[in-house]
Amino acid sequence: MPPPDAIFVFAGGQARKECAAGLWRILTHAANAPPMALVISVARFEWRRYALLELPGFDALQEAVAELPPDQRHFFVVLERDSVVVRHVTPRRWGTRNEARALQALATERGWRTLLVITSKFHLSRVRLVVGRVFANAGVRIAYATPARGADPHGPGQWFRSRRGVKLVFLEQMKRVVYRVLKP
C-alpha cells in the first residue's frame, strides 16, 4: 500500500498512540512525502497523556476537555501539515463501533481513500471486523498495524503478566462474540 492519506489510532493504550505518532513522524518527514493526517482518538481521561506524545494540539485538547463532563469526553485530534482540529465524538455504547463510524464520517468529509488503522494486538481482530463492516461500501483501502512486540504491556507475550492484561484480554474475547452479532 502506498503511504496512507491518514493514520488513525483507536482510543486506549498509550503504546498504540506512541506507535501511531512515531510512524506519522517518519512518514511525513520522508523526502517527497505526500500530505498525511494523523487522527488520535482520545477518550475520557486519556487527554492527560496526550502531551507525552509531543505532538501539537495539547492546548486545544485541554480547552475542549474543560467544556465537557468526563462522561462526554471523546475527541479526535486531527493533525495535518499546518493545522490541528479537535473534534468531539459523541460517546455511545459499543465504543469501537462508535469510533469506526466517526472515522468513516471524517474520511468521507476529507476525501481520504487510504487509511492505516493502529490498535493493540489483542484488539485487532475486533477492530478489523468493525472497521471492515463500517467501511464496506466506502471505497477506502485500509491497512492495519499494531505496536512493535514488547512495546505494548498488553501485547503478545506480555498480557498475562499483569491482572490488568489478563482482564483486558478476557474482556476482549467476550466483546468479540457480542460484536459479531451487532449490526454495523
Side-chain angles (χ1 to χ4, degrees):
M1 183 168 123
D5 295 325
I7 297 172
F8 174 78
V9 60
F10 275 89
Q14 189 71 2
R16 57 177 90 158
K17 291 178 174 66
E18 291 168 0
C19 172
L23 188 57
W24 182 71
R25 283 186 187 102
I26 290 167
L27 292 175
T28 57
H29 289 91
N32 301 321
M36 180 187 313
L38 172 61
V39 182
I40 299 179
S41 185
V42 180
R44 292 181 58 104
F45 301 108
E46 293 176 1
W47 66 272
R48 294 177 179 129
R49 292 188 310 247
Y50 183 88
L52 299 173
L53 299 173
E54 298 179 0
L55 293 169
F58 184 67
D59 292 339
L61 181 58
Q62 276 187 301
E63 287 177 25
V65 163
E67 295 175 9
L68 294 170
D71 66 336
Q72 290 299 307
R73 291 179 187 159
H74 193 158
F75 305 96
F76 283 177
V77 180
V78 183
L79 302 163
E80 294 178 297
R81 281 234 165 130
D82 298 319
S83 69
V84 176
V85 174
V86 176
R87 182 177 181 141
H88 182 251
V89 176
T90 303
R92 292 188 170 87
R93 290 187 82 178
W94 317 114
T96 299
R97 181 177 68 175
N98 191 46
E99 285 177 89
R101 287 176 172 174
L103 174 61
Q104 197 274 336
L106 182 62
T108 298
E109 175 186 303
R110 301 287 171 104
W112 295 334
R113 308 308 320 148
T114 55
L115 295 173
L116 175 60
V117 174
I118 298 177
T119 192
S120 299
K121 182 75 171 174
F122 73 87
H123 191 223
L124 185 60
S125 176
R126 183 161 51 104
V127 163
R128 283 180 186 267
L129 172 71
V130 173
V131 171
R133 285 178 176 174
V134 169
F135 280 88
N137 298 312
V140 177
R141 290 181 34 215
I142 301 171
Y144 299 89
T146 61
R149 187 170 178 86
D152 185 350
H154 306 116
Q158 302 292 321
W159 64 269
F160 56 86
R161 296 175 191 239
S162 70
R163 284 181 184 233
R164 177 159 168 72
V166 170
K167 180 180 176 182
L168 283 171
V169 171
F170 175 74
L171 289 174
E172 186 62 28
Q173 299 303 319
M174 293 174 50
K175 289 176 183 179
R176 279 189 206 160
V177 172
V178 172
Y179 268 75
R180 289 205 187 285
V181 297
L182 280 178
K183 292 182 180 179

